[in-house]
Amino acid sequence: MKKKSASFFTTPAIAFEGPQSANALAFKHYNPAEIIDGKTMAEHMRFSIAYWHAFRGTGSDPFGPGTIIRPWEAGKDPVAVALKRMDAAFEFFTKIGAPFWCFHDRDIAPEGKSLAESNKILDKVVAHAKELQKATGVKLLWGTANLFSNPRFMCGAATNPDAHVFAYAAAQIKKALEVTLELGGENYVFWGGREGYETLLNTNLKREQAHLAAMLRMAADYAKEIGFKGQFLIEPKPKEPTTHQYDFDCATCIGFLRTYGLEKIFKFNIETNHATLAGHTFQHEIEVAAAAGMLGSIDANTGNLLLGWDTDQFNTDVKELTLAMTSIIKAGGLGTGGFNFDAKLRRPSVDADDLFHAHIGGMDAYALAFKIARKILAEGKFEQFVKERYSSFDTGFGKEIETKKTNFRELEKVALSLGEPTLKSGKQEYLENLLNTYLHG
Ligand code: XUL
Ligand code: CO
């Protein structure tokens, strides 16, 4: 990193020290320089820091204000603070060794009194971010627009019943696309914010969904016009803030995108906590996206399954991540996507080094899961089991079902001649034990 006069963190740069290290501020499993299959672990993992949690999160919750005090927040001029905060962020990205970052427009720059003024402030902060990217080599994984915090978006942005708000949101996305392009963003994310509803007493669901599709179509047209070649990603979430979010889960979004002919433009940014809020596992959402050829990127976090809301915690559950990683590797990886830590510190985690512990834990857990998943896939025991389980569809009438060469009359003949099918065990307990041998020896 280019020498800065002020340093905001006393924690030194985090190094890989291996599993035997007793140093809590070191990586045990994530060795960014380790080469696997001709690529470094840094290239495989493509870790990213979420600006909104790491640099705008204060620990506040609905019951009380923030607890976390950061030195870079001191100062009266919000634009000067935004620039200083950006310095702190890039110091952190560099020290933790994250090759990427992600942001919402309003995370990095305060809003002005008008849209024009907001755009001007944003340009100023983006110019600074561009310099810091150049100085550090840290790149932008994705940008997005915050279309949910400002009161004007209280009833949604693209799905707002007021066309004026729709136009405002369109203008904000337009600008966010421009600055994402300016910073070389490899993707652009659409999380549904308040695109949903509380009650059908005041809502025209069909019109709102058509408006959402119109917004996405115009965004794609504009991206093409300005030469933005990054991948468009939809981030599904079933609820919160609205009761019924339109982008419920991957399956719902696939139906929506196909209805409006948008399926070739989008892939998915899958967030673990959103998957579980939808009543799915993280791996389920990955498999649904991958089956449609739409696996794009990951918002790496987890929820608290005892609670019904989006707690955005750092994920250290190696078993869950190993299962997810097997599906990601089998799908051919994330392409231009990465693992973005859309995760926040707990309210009492007020020390400066807590931000390091949190990200070290997440990065180590993902790296370990990646290695275990590769071993599982290299040995192929689960894949072989699944292959054999479906082998009756590889030949004969099974193959004819898959190749659409049979019909009910033919299959009735088969059933009459073969009689009762024999019961074949699904072997779930055996497979769960087998999984544990990879996790725990
Ligand atoms: C909200 C959420 C967002 C998106 C980006 O639950 O995950 O931070 O990732 O808008
Ligand atoms: Co997210």
Side-chain angles (χ1 to χ4, degrees):
M1 184 180 175
K2 199 163 84 184
K3 199 89 193 93
K4 285 270 156 231
S5 45
S7 171
F8 296 97
F9 297 96
T10 52
T11 310
I14 306 302
F16 169 75
E17 292 185 9
Q20 309 312 326
S21 169
N23 178 5
L25 286 166
F27 293 119
K28 312 284 186 295
H29 304 285
Y30 177 57
N31 179 0
E34 183 181 354
I35 309 257
I36 293 180
D37 273 350
K39 268 179 27 181
T40 64
M41 274 297 276
E43 287 163 343
H44 278 293
M45 305 311 297
R46 295 170 63 85
F47 286 130
S48 164
I49 308 300
Y51 201 88
W52 53 102
H53 284 316
F55 290 92
R56 301 311 308 271
T58 59
S60 66
D61 70 14
F63 304 95
T67 51
I68 300 169
I69 297 159
R70 300 297 192 197
W72 54 85
E73 295 296 325
K76 286 210 165 57
D77 172 12
V79 180
V81 170
L83 296 171
K84 198 152 47 108
R85 188 187 293 126
M86 192 64 77
D87 290 334
F90 275 79
E91 185 187 340
F92 178 74
F93 303 159
T94 310
K95 282 189 161 171
I96 198 74
F100 292 98
W101 68 300
C102 292
F103 70 89
H104 299 81
D105 49 1
R106 302 304 180 237
D107 304 334
I108 59 171
E111 286 204 64
K113 288 193 193 70
S114 66
L115 181 62
E117 200 193 324
S118 298
N119 287 348
K120 238 170 132 177
I121 300 169
L122 186 57
D123 282 336
K124 195 166 176 187
V125 181
V126 165
H128 190 49
K130 197 171 177 183
E131 277 172 24
L132 290 166
Q133 285 192 168
K134 205 165 156 219
T136 59
V138 175
K139 295 191 283 186
L140 181 63
L141 187 67
W142 50 261
T144 189
N146 179 328
L147 304 173
F148 44 88
S149 295
N150 191 292
R152 79 176 70 89
F153 298 123
M154 67 181 184
C155 299
T159 64
N160 198 291
D162 184 350
H164 184 172
V165 179
F166 183 104
Y168 200 106
Q172 211 180 306
I173 296 172
K174 175 177 176 288
K175 184 68 184 172
L177 279 167
E178 290 164 8
V179 301
T180 300
L181 173 67
E182 173 74 10
L183 292 173
E186 300 194 15
N187 308 269
Y188 184 90
V189 162
F190 294 83
W191 166 56
R194 296 180 193 273
E195 314 295 19
Y197 67 90
E198 302 299 324
T199 172
L200 288 170
L201 292 172
N202 63 14
T203 302
N204 185 327
L205 179 147
K206 193 172 175 184
R207 260 182 119 167
E208 289 201 356
Q209 290 197 331
H211 295 168
L212 178 55
M215 183 71 90
L216 297 177
R217 164 82 55 205
M218 284 189 261
D221 289 346
Y222 188 67
K224 205 166 168 194
E225 194 183 318
I226 61 173
F228 177 72
K229 300 211 167 57
Q231 176 64 50
F232 270 18
L233 300 168
I234 291 212
E235 183 177 325
K237 185 175 183 180
K239 56 188 162 194
E240 196 202 22
T242 77
T243 313
H244 304 271
Q245 296 277 131
Y246 292 128
D247 296 337
F248 190 93
D249 60 3
C250 287
T252 308
C253 290
I254 290 168
F256 168 81
L257 292 168
R258 287 183 182 157
T259 301
Y260 292 97
L262 295 165
E263 72 277 11
K264 292 208 168 57
I265 299 168
F266 287 89
K267 288 187 175 176
F268 292 111
N269 183 37
I270 296 173
E271 179 165 323
T272 321
N273 204 162
H274 297 178
T276 51
L277 283 176
H280 302 308
T281 61
F282 182 26
Q283 191 185 15
H284 169 89
E285 285 294 82
I286 293 166
E287 286 277 330
V288 172
M294 294 167 85
L295 179 61
S297 199
I298 300 293
D299 263 9
N301 68 11
T302 190
N304 183 331
L305 294 182
L306 300 178
L307 303 172
W309 65 92
D310 197 14
T311 57
D312 285 342
Q313 295 174 225
F314 285 83
N315 198 342
T316 54
D317 182 342
V318 176
K319 182 176 176 180
E320 180 181 44
L321 299 183
T322 297
L323 292 170
M325 276 295 186
T326 59
S327 295
I328 293 170
I329 297 170
K330 271 198 288 181
L334 298 174
T336 63
F339 295 97
N340 171 50
F341 290 104
D342 189 357
K344 64 187 174 199
L345 294 170
R346 298 307 88 194
R347 193 165 186 259
S349 299
V350 295
D351 291 350
D353 70 2
D354 286 326
L355 198 59
F356 285 90
H357 288 297
H359 286 86
I360 289 169
M363 290 159 92
D364 260 347
Y366 264 93
L368 180 57
F370 175 74
K371 290 180 181 181
I372 300 172
R374 277 178 48 85
K375 185 157 188 259
I376 288 174
L377 293 172
E379 292 185 7
K381 291 181 189 167
F382 294 96
E383 282 185 291
Q384 188 55 33
F385 181 88
V386 174
K387 192 166 179 273
E388 274 165 26
R389 196 163 182 234
Y390 292 86
S391 59
S392 59
F393 286 92
D394 293 342
T395 55
F397 66 89
K399 190 171 182 181
E400 285 171 1
I401 293 169
E402 286 200 350
T403 53
K404 303 189 183 81
K405 292 211 171 88
T406 189
N407 56 40
F408 270 12
R409 282 184 208 290
E410 294 297 322
L411 291 175
E412 185 188 43
K413 276 187 220 153
V414 171
L416 287 170
S417 75
L418 289 185
E420 190 59 28
T422 46
L423 300 183
K424 292 173 193 151
S425 173
K427 288 265 174 280
Q428 183 169 335
E429 297 80 0
Y430 157 76
L431 293 165
E432 284 168 350
N433 296 350
L434 181 60
L435 178 62
N436 262 357
T437 66
Y438 287 97
L439 292 167
H440 306 292

